[in-house]
Coordinates of all heavy atoms in Angstrom, one line a residue:
R25 N 88.2 97.0 23.2 CA 87.3 96.2 22.4 C 87.7 94.7 22.2 O 86.9 93.8 22.2 CB 87.1 96.9 21.1 CG 86.1 96.2 20.1 CD 86.0 96.8 18.8 NE 85.6 98.1 18.9 CZ 85.3 99.0 17.9 NH1 85.7 98.4 16.7 NH2 85.0 100.2 18.0
Q26 N 89.0 94.5 21.9 CA 89.4 93.3 21.7 C 89.4 92.3 22.9 O 89.0 91.2 23.0 CB 90.9 93.3 21.2 CG 91.1 93.9 19.8 CD 92.5 93.9 19.4 OE1 93.4 94.2 20.3 NE2 92.8 94.0 18.1
A27 N 89.7 92.9 24.1 CA 89.6 92.2 25.4 C 88.1 91.9 25.7 O 87.8 90.7 26.1 CB 90.2 93.0 26.6
R28 N 87.2 92.7 25.4 CA 85.9 92.4 25.7 C 85.3 91.4 24.8 O 84.4 90.6 25.2 CB 85.0 93.7 25.4 CG 83.5 93.6 25.6 CD 83.1 93.1 27.0 NE 81.7 92.9 27.1 CZ 80.8 93.6 27.6 NH1 81.2 94.8 28.1 NH2 79.5 93.3 27.7
A29 N 85.8 91.3 23.6 CA 85.4 90.3 22.7 C 85.8 88.9 23.1 O 85.3 87.9 22.6 CB 86.0 90.5 21.2
M30 N 86.6 88.8 24.0 CA 87.1 87.4 24.6 C 86.2 86.9 25.6 O 86.3 85.8 26.1 CB 88.5 87.7 25.2 CG 89.5 88.0 24.3 SD 91.1 88.1 25.2 CE 92.3 88.1 23.8
G31 N 85.2 87.8 26.0 CA 84.2 87.2 27.0 C 83.0 88.2 27.0 O 82.8 88.9 26.1
T32 N 82.1 88.0 28.1 CA 80.8 88.7 28.2 C 80.9 89.9 29.1 O 80.0 90.8 29.2 CB 79.7 87.8 28.6 OG1 80.1 87.1 29.9 CG2 79.5 86.8 27.5
H33 N 81.9 89.9 30.0 CA 82.0 90.9 31.0 C 83.5 91.3 31.2 O 84.5 90.5 31.3 CB 81.6 90.3 32.4 CG 81.5 91.3 33.5 ND1 80.3 92.1 33.6 CD2 82.3 91.6 34.5 CE1 80.5 92.9 34.7 NE2 81.8 92.5 35.3
L34 N 83.9 92.6 31.0 CA 85.2 93.1 31.0 C 85.6 93.9 32.2 O 84.9 94.9 32.6 CB 85.5 94.0 29.9 CG 86.9 94.6 29.6 CD1 88.0 93.4 29.6 CD2 87.1 95.5 28.4
V35 N 86.5 93.3 33.1 CA 87.0 94.0 34.2 C 88.4 94.5 33.9 O 89.3 93.7 33.5 CB 87.1 93.0 35.5 CG1 87.6 93.6 36.7 CG2 85.6 92.4 35.7
V36 N 88.5 95.8 34.2 CA 89.8 96.4 33.8 C 90.6 96.9 35.2 O 90.0 97.5 36.0 CB 89.7 97.7 32.9 CG1 90.9 98.4 32.7 CG2 89.1 97.3 31.6
G37 N 91.9 96.4 35.3 CA 92.7 96.8 36.4 C 93.4 98.0 36.1 O 94.0 98.1 35.0
L38 N 93.3 99.0 36.9 CA 93.9 100.3 36.6 C 95.2 100.5 37.4 O 95.1 100.5 38.6 CB 93.0 101.4 36.8 CG 93.4 102.9 36.3 CD1 93.8 102.9 35.0 CD2 92.3 103.9 36.6
I39 N 96.2 100.7 36.8 CA 97.6 100.8 37.3 C 97.9 102.2 37.7 O 97.6 103.1 36.9 CB 98.8 100.2 36.5 CG1 98.4 98.8 36.1 CG2 100.1 100.4 37.1 CD1 99.1 98.2 34.9
S40 N 98.4 102.5 38.9 CA 98.7 103.8 39.3 C 99.8 104.4 38.4 O 100.6 103.7 37.8 CB 99.1 103.9 40.7 OG 100.4 103.3 40.9
D41 N 99.9 105.8 38.6 CA 100.9 106.5 37.9 C 102.4 106.1 38.4 O 103.2 105.9 37.5 CB 100.7 108.0 37.9 CG 99.6 108.5 37.3 OD1 98.9 107.9 36.5 OD2 99.1 109.7 37.6
D42 N 102.4 106.0 39.7 CA 103.7 105.5 40.3 C 104.2 104.2 39.8 O 105.4 104.1 39.5 CB 103.7 105.6 41.7 CG 103.5 107.0 42.3 OD1 103.9 108.0 41.7 OD2 103.0 107.1 43.5
E43 N 103.3 103.3 39.7 CA 103.6 101.8 39.3 C 104.0 101.9 37.8 O 105.0 101.2 37.4 CB 102.4 101.0 39.3 CG 102.2 100.4 40.8 CD 103.0 99.3 41.2 OE1 103.2 98.3 40.3 OE2 103.7 99.3 42.2
I44 N 103.4 102.6 37.0 CA 103.7 102.8 35.4 C 105.1 103.4 35.4 O 106.0 102.9 34.6 CB 102.7 103.5 34.7 CG1 101.4 102.7 34.7 CG2 103.1 103.8 33.3 CD1 100.3 103.4 34.1
T45 N 105.3 104.6 36.2 CA 106.6 105.2 36.1 C 107.8 104.3 36.5 O 108.7 104.3 35.8 CB 106.6 106.5 37.0 OG1 105.6 107.4 36.5 CG2 107.8 107.2 36.9
K46 N 107.5 103.6 37.6 CA 108.5 102.7 38.0 C 108.8 101.6 37.0 O 110.0 101.2 36.8 CB 108.1 101.9 39.3 CG 109.1 101.1 40.0 CD 108.6 100.6 41.4 CE 107.5 99.6 41.3 NZ 107.1 99.0 42.6
A47 N 107.8 101.0 36.3 CA 107.9 99.9 35.4 C 108.5 100.4 34.1 O 109.3 99.6 33.4 CB 106.6 99.2 35.2
K48 N 108.1 101.5 33.7 CA 108.5 102.0 32.2 C 109.5 103.2 32.3 O 110.0 103.5 31.2 CB 107.3 102.5 31.5 CG 106.3 101.4 31.4 CD 105.1 101.6 30.3 CE 104.3 100.4 29.9 NZ 103.4 100.7 28.8
G49 N 109.8 103.8 33.4 CA 110.8 104.9 33.5 C 110.3 106.2 33.2 O 111.0 107.2 33.2
S50 N 109.0 106.3 32.8 CA 108.4 107.6 32.7 C 107.0 107.5 33.0 O 106.3 106.5 32.8 CB 108.6 108.0 31.2 OG 108.0 107.2 30.3
P51 N 106.4 108.7 33.3 CA 104.9 108.7 33.7 C 104.0 108.5 32.5 O 104.4 108.7 31.5 CB 104.7 110.0 34.4 CG 105.7 110.9 33.7 CD 106.9 110.0 33.6
P52 N 102.8 108.0 32.9 CA 101.9 107.8 31.7 C 101.5 109.2 31.1 O 101.5 110.2 31.8 CB 100.6 107.1 32.4 CG 100.7 107.5 33.8 CD 102.1 107.6 34.0
V53 N 101.1 109.3 29.9 CA 100.6 110.4 29.2 C 99.4 110.9 29.8 O 99.3 112.2 29.9 CB 100.5 110.1 27.6 CG1 99.9 111.4 27.0 CG2 101.7 109.8 27.1
M54 N 98.4 110.1 30.1 CA 97.2 110.5 30.8 C 97.2 110.1 32.2 O 97.4 109.1 32.6 CB 96.0 109.7 30.1 CG 94.7 110.2 30.6 SD 93.4 109.1 29.9 CE 93.4 109.6 28.2
P55 N 97.1 111.2 33.1 CA 97.1 111.0 34.5 C 96.0 109.9 35.0 O 95.0 109.9 34.3 CB 96.8 112.3 35.2 CG 96.8 113.3 34.1 CD 96.7 112.5 32.8
Y56 N 96.2 109.3 36.1 CA 95.4 108.3 36.8 C 93.9 108.7 36.8 O 93.0 108.1 36.3 CB 95.9 108.1 38.2 CG 95.1 106.9 38.8 CD1 95.4 105.5 38.6 CD2 93.9 107.2 39.7 CE1 94.6 104.6 39.1 CE2 93.3 106.2 40.3 CZ 93.6 104.8 40.0 OH 93.0 103.8 40.6
E57 N 93.6 109.9 37.3 CA 92.3 110.4 37.4 C 91.5 110.5 36.1 O 90.3 110.1 36.0 CB 92.2 111.8 38.1 CG 92.6 111.8 39.5 CD 94.2 111.7 39.7 OE1 94.8 112.1 38.7 OE2 94.7 111.4 40.8
E58 N 92.3 110.9 35.1 CA 91.6 110.9 33.6 C 91.5 109.6 33.1 O 90.4 109.3 32.4 CB 92.5 111.8 32.7 CG 92.5 113.2 33.0 CD 93.4 113.9 32.1 OE1 93.6 113.6 31.0 OE2 94.0 115.1 32.5
R59 N 92.3 108.6 33.4 CA 92.2 107.3 33.0 C 90.9 106.5 33.6 O 90.2 105.8 33.0 CB 93.6 106.5 33.2 CG 94.5 106.9 32.2 CD 95.8 106.1 32.5 NE 96.5 106.4 33.6 CZ 97.1 105.6 34.5 NH1 96.9 104.3 34.4 NH2 97.6 106.0 35.6
V60 N 90.8 106.9 34.9 CA 89.5 106.4 35.6 C 88.3 106.9 34.8 O 87.4 106.0 34.4 CB 89.5 106.8 37.1 CG1 88.1 106.6 37.7 CG2 90.5 106.2 37.9
I61 N 88.2 108.1 34.5 CA 87.0 108.7 33.9 C 86.9 108.0 32.5 O 85.7 107.6 32.2 CB 87.1 110.2 33.8 CG1 87.2 110.9 35.2 CG2 86.1 110.8 32.8 CD1 87.5 112.3 35.2
S62 N 87.9 108.0 31.8 CA 87.9 107.3 30.5 C 87.4 105.9 30.5 O 86.6 105.5 29.7 CB 89.3 107.4 29.8 OG 89.3 106.9 28.6
L63 N 88.0 105.2 31.4 CA 87.6 103.7 31.5 C 86.0 103.6 31.9 O 85.3 102.7 31.3 CB 88.5 103.0 32.5 CG 89.8 102.6 32.0 CD1 90.7 102.0 33.1 CD2 89.8 101.5 30.8
K64 N 85.6 104.3 32.8 CA 84.2 104.3 33.3 C 83.3 104.7 32.2 O 82.0 104.3 32.2 CB 84.0 105.1 34.5 CG 84.7 104.4 35.8 CD 84.4 105.3 37.0 CE 84.9 104.4 38.2 NZ 84.7 105.0 39.5
A65 N 83.7 105.5 31.3 CA 82.9 106.0 30.1 C 82.9 105.0 29.0 O 82.1 105.1 28.1 CB 83.4 107.4 29.7
C66 N 83.9 104.1 29.1 CA 83.9 103.3 27.9 C 82.9 102.3 27.9 O 82.7 101.4 28.9 CB 85.4 102.5 27.9 SG 85.6 101.5 26.6
K67 N 82.2 102.1 26.8 CA 81.1 101.1 26.6 C 81.5 99.7 26.7 O 80.7 98.8 27.1 CB 80.3 101.3 25.4 CG 80.8 101.0 24.2 CD 80.0 101.3 22.9 CE 80.7 101.0 21.7 NZ 79.8 101.2 20.6
F68 N 82.7 99.4 26.5 CA 83.2 97.9 26.6 C 83.6 97.5 28.0 O 83.7 96.3 28.2 CB 84.3 97.8 25.8 CG 84.0 98.1 24.2 CD1 84.6 99.2 23.7 CD2 83.3 97.3 23.4 CE1 84.3 99.6 22.4 CE2 82.9 97.6 22.2 CZ 83.4 98.7 21.5
V69 N 83.8 98.5 28.9 CA 84.3 98.2 30.3 C 83.1 98.0 31.2 O 82.3 99.0 31.4 CB 85.3 99.3 30.8 CG1 85.6 99.0 32.2 CG2 86.4 99.3 29.8
D70 N 83.0 96.9 31.9 CA 81.9 96.7 32.9 C 82.3 97.0 34.4 O 81.5 97.4 35.1 CB 81.5 95.3 32.8 CG 81.0 94.9 31.5 OD1 79.9 95.5 31.2 OD2 81.5 94.0 30.9
E71 N 83.6 96.9 34.6 CA 84.1 97.2 36.0 C 85.5 97.6 36.0 O 86.4 97.1 35.2 CB 84.0 95.9 36.8 CG 84.5 95.9 38.3 CD 84.4 94.6 39.0 OE1 83.7 93.6 38.4 OE2 84.8 94.5 40.1
V72 N 85.9 98.5 36.9 CA 87.2 99.0 36.9 C 87.8 98.7 38.4 O 87.2 98.9 39.4 CB 87.4 100.5 36.7 CG1 88.8 101.0 37.0 CG2 86.9 100.9 35.3
I73 N 88.8 98.0 38.4 CA 89.6 97.7 39.8 C 90.7 98.7 39.8 O 91.7 98.6 39.0 CB 90.1 96.2 39.8 CG1 89.0 95.3 39.6 CG2 90.9 96.0 41.1 CD1 89.5 93.8 39.4
P74 N 90.8 99.6 40.9 CA 91.7 100.6 41.0 C 93.0 100.1 41.6 O 93.1 99.1 42.4 CB 91.1 101.6 42.0 CG 90.1 100.8 42.9 CD 89.7 99.7 41.9
N75 N 94.2 100.7 41.2 CA 95.5 100.5 41.9 C 95.9 99.1 41.9 O 96.5 98.7 42.9 CB 95.5 101.1 43.3 CG 95.2 102.6 43.3 OD1 95.9 103.3 42.5 ND2 94.3 103.1 44.1
V76 N 95.8 98.4 40.7 CA 96.5 97.1 40.6 C 97.9 97.3 40.4 O 98.4 98.3 39.8 CB 95.7 96.2 39.5 CG1 94.2 96.1 39.7 CG2 96.0 96.8 38.1
P77 N 98.7 96.2 40.7 CA 100.1 96.3 40.5 C 100.4 96.1 39.1 O 99.7 95.4 38.3 CB 100.7 95.1 41.4 CG 99.6 94.2 41.6 CD 98.3 95.0 41.5
Y78 N 101.5 96.7 38.6 CA 101.8 96.5 37.2 C 102.3 95.1 36.8 O 101.9 94.5 35.9 CB 103.2 97.4 36.9 CG 103.5 97.5 35.4 CD1 102.8 98.3 34.4 CD2 104.4 96.6 34.8 CE1 103.1 98.2 33.1 CE2 104.8 96.6 33.5 CZ 104.2 97.3 32.7 OH 104.4 97.4 31.3
D79 N 103.1 94.5 37.8 CA 103.5 93.1 37.6 C 102.7 92.3 38.8 O 103.2 92.3 39.9 CB 105.0 92.9 37.8 CG 105.8 93.4 36.5 OD1 105.2 93.2 35.4 OD2 106.7 94.1 36.8
A80 N 101.7 91.8 38.4 CA 100.8 91.1 39.4 C 101.5 89.7 39.8 O 101.8 89.0 38.9 CB 99.4 90.7 38.9
D81 N 101.7 89.5 41.0 CA 102.4 88.4 41.6 C 101.2 87.2 41.7 O 100.0 87.6 41.5 CB 103.0 88.5 43.0 CG 102.0 89.1 44.1 OD1 100.8 88.9 43.9 OD2 102.6 89.5 45.1
E82 N 101.6 86.0 42.1 CA 100.8 84.9 42.1 C 99.6 85.2 43.1 O 98.4 84.8 42.8 CB 101.5 83.7 42.5 CG 100.7 82.4 42.5 CD 101.4 81.1 42.7 OE1 102.7 81.1 42.6 OE2 100.8 80.1 42.9
E83 N 99.8 85.6 44.3 CA 98.7 86.0 45.2 C 97.7 87.0 44.7 O 96.6 86.7 44.8 CB 99.6 86.6 46.5 CG 98.6 86.8 47.6 CD 99.2 87.3 48.9 OE1 100.4 87.2 49.0 OE2 98.5 88.0 49.7
F84 N 98.2 88.0 44.1 CA 97.2 89.0 43.5 C 96.4 88.4 42.5 O 95.2 88.6 42.3 CB 98.0 90.3 43.1 CG 96.9 91.4 42.8 CD1 96.3 92.1 43.7 CD2 96.7 91.7 41.3 CE1 95.4 93.1 43.3 CE2 95.8 92.7 41.1 CZ 95.2 93.3 42.1
T85 N 97.1 87.6 41.6 CA 96.4 86.9 40.5 C 95.3 86.0 41.0 O 94.2 86.0 40.6 CB 97.5 86.1 39.6 OG1 98.3 87.0 39.1 CG2 96.7 85.5 38.5
K86 N 95.6 85.2 42.1 CA 94.6 84.3 42.7 C 93.5 85.0 43.3 O 92.3 84.7 43.2 CB 95.3 83.5 43.8 CG 96.2 82.3 43.3 CD 96.7 81.5 44.3 CE 97.7 80.5 43.7 NZ 98.3 79.7 44.8
Y87 N 93.7 86.3 43.9 CA 92.7 87.2 44.4 C 91.9 87.6 43.2 O 90.5 87.5 43.4 CB 93.4 88.3 45.1 CG 92.5 89.5 45.2 CD1 91.5 89.6 46.2 CD2 92.5 90.6 44.3 CE1 90.7 90.6 46.3 CE2 91.8 91.7 44.4 CZ 90.7 91.7 45.4 OH 89.9 92.8 45.6
L88 N 92.4 88.0 42.2 CA 91.5 88.4 41.0 C 90.6 87.4 40.5 O 89.5 87.5 40.3 CB 92.4 89.0 39.9 CG 93.1 90.3 40.1 CD1 94.1 90.6 38.9 CD2 92.2 91.4 40.3
L89 N 91.3 86.2 40.3 CA 90.4 85.1 39.8 C 89.4 84.6 40.7 O 88.3 84.4 40.2 CB 91.4 83.9 39.6 CG 92.5 84.1 38.5 CD1 93.5 83.0 38.5 CD2 91.9 84.4 37.1
K90 N 89.6 84.7 42.0 CA 88.6 84.3 42.9 C 87.5 85.4 43.3 O 86.4 85.1 43.2 CB 89.2 83.9 44.3 CG 88.3 83.5 45.3 CD 89.0 83.0 46.6 CE 88.0 82.6 47.7 NZ 88.6 82.4 49.0
E91 N 88.1 86.5 43.7 CA 87.1 87.6 44.2 C 86.4 88.3 43.1 O 85.3 88.7 43.3 CB 87.8 88.6 45.0 CG 88.6 88.1 46.2 CD 87.6 87.6 47.3 OE1 86.4 88.1 47.4 OE2 87.9 86.4 47.9
H92 N 86.9 88.3 41.9 CA 86.3 89.1 40.7 C 85.7 88.1 39.7 O 85.3 88.5 38.6 CB 87.2 90.1 40.2 CG 87.5 91.2 41.2 ND1 86.6 92.3 41.2 CD2 88.5 91.4 42.0 CE1 87.1 93.1 42.1 NE2 88.2 92.6 42.6
K93 N 86.0 86.7 40.0 CA 85.5 85.7 39.2 C 85.9 85.9 37.7 O 85.1 85.8 36.7 CB 83.9 85.6 39.2 CG 83.4 85.3 40.6 CD 81.9 85.1 40.6 CE 81.5 84.6 41.9 NZ 80.9 85.6 42.8
I94 N 87.1 86.2 37.6 CA 87.9 86.4 36.3 C 88.4 85.1 35.8 O 88.9 84.2 36.5 CB 89.1 87.4 36.5 CG1 88.5 88.7 36.9 CG2 89.8 87.6 35.2 CD1 89.6 89.7 37.3
D95 N 88.1 84.8 34.5 CA 88.4 83.5 33.9 C 89.9 83.6 33.5 O 90.6 82.6 33.5 CB 87.6 83.2 32.8 CG 86.3 82.9 33.2 OD1 86.0 82.3 34.3 OD2 85.2 83.4 32.5
F96 N 90.3 84.7 32.9 CA 91.7 84.9 32.5 C 92.1 86.4 32.5 O 91.3 87.3 32.5 CB 92.0 84.3 31.1 CG 91.3 84.9 30.0 CD1 91.8 85.8 29.2 CD2 89.9 84.4 29.7 CE1 91.1 86.4 28.1 CE2 89.2 84.9 28.6 CZ 89.8 86.0 27.8
I97 N 93.4 86.6 32.4 CA 94.0 87.9 32.5 C 94.7 88.3 31.2 O 95.5 87.5 30.8 CB 94.9 88.1 33.7 CG1 94.1 87.8 35.0 CG2 95.6 89.5 33.7 CD1 95.1 87.6 36.2
V98 N 94.5 89.5 30.8 CA 95.2 90.0 29.6 C 96.0 91.3 29.9 O 95.4 92.1 30.7 CB 94.2 90.4 28.5 CG1 94.9 91.1 27.3 CG2 93.3 89.2 28.1
H99 N 97.3 91.2 29.6 CA 98.1 92.4 30.0 C 98.7 92.9 28.8 O 99.6 92.3 28.2 CB 99.1 92.0 31.1 CG 100.0 93.1 31.6 ND1 101.2 93.4 31.1 CD2 99.8 94.0 32.6 CE1 101.8 94.4 31.7 NE2 100.9 94.8 32.6
G100 N 98.2 94.1 28.3 CA 98.7 94.6 27.0 C 98.2 93.6 26.0 O 97.1 93.4 25.8
D101 N 99.1 93.1 25.1 CA 98.8 92.3 24.2 C 99.1 90.7 24.5 O 98.9 89.8 23.8 CB 99.5 92.5 22.9 CG 99.2 93.9 22.2 OD1 98.1 94.2 22.5 OD2 100.0 94.3 21.4
D102 N 99.5 90.5 25.7 CA 99.9 89.2 26.3 C 98.9 88.6 27.2 O 98.4 89.3 28.2 CB 101.2 89.3 27.0 CG 102.3 89.8 26.1 OD1 102.3 89.7 24.8 OD2 103.2 90.5 26.7
T103 N 98.3 87.4 27.0 CA 97.6 86.6 27.9 C 98.5 86.1 29.1 O 99.4 85.4 28.8 CB 96.9 85.5 27.3 OG1 96.1 86.1 26.2 CG2 96.0 84.8 28.3
V104 N 98.1 86.4 30.3 CA 99.0 86.1 31.4 C 98.5 84.7 32.1 O 99.3 83.9 32.4 CB 99.0 87.2 32.5 CG1 99.8 86.9 33.8 CG2 99.6 88.5 31.9
A105 N 97.2 84.7 32.3 CA 96.7 83.4 33.0 C 95.4 83.0 32.4 O 94.7 83.7 31.8 CB 96.6 83.7 34.5

């Protein structure tokens, strides 16, 4: 809800279970398939991008900004770009 309030269209990048496990040291509580269903059912989410990297590099960030017409990126509670 807070991310959606920052604009008019919310695109959510969904991180794979493997990426989360690698970054945080343990698997997510909700498996990937359930997170897909949950996000697609959320009234605040307009689009889901599957299998985004946990730590997006500059190339991937540029891809998101250009191809998905994203104005800025929010990761957790931190604004990235």
Side-chain angles (χ1 to χ4, degrees):
R25 179 185 299 180
Q26 291 174 333
R28 176 60 184 264
M30 295 178 165
T32 59
H33 190 82
L34 179 60
V35 179
V36 176
L38 187 57
I39 303 165
S40 72
D41 291 349
D42 290 340
E43 282 277 311
I44 291 173
T45 302
K46 185 171 70 173
K48 296 191 171 194
S50 60
V53 174
M54 185 184 292
Y56 184 84
E57 294 78 17
E58 289 181 29
R59 289 184 284 134
V60 169
I61 293 167
S62 178
L63 284 172
K64 288 184 176 184
C66 180
K67 68 180 181 179
F68 301 108
V69 176
D70 297 300
E71 181 182 349
V72 177
I73 302 172
N75 297 311
V76 301
Y78 186 84
D79 290 316
D81 60 16
E82 185 176 344
E83 182 180 338
F84 188 75
T85 300
K86 286 180 181 178
Y87 159 78
L88 289 176
L89 296 173
K90 180 181 178 190
E91 297 299 321
H92 293 277
K93 298 182 173 110
I94 294 171
D95 294 320
F96 62 94
I97 297 170
V98 177
H99 185 262
D101 292 339
D102 304 326
T103 302
V104 177

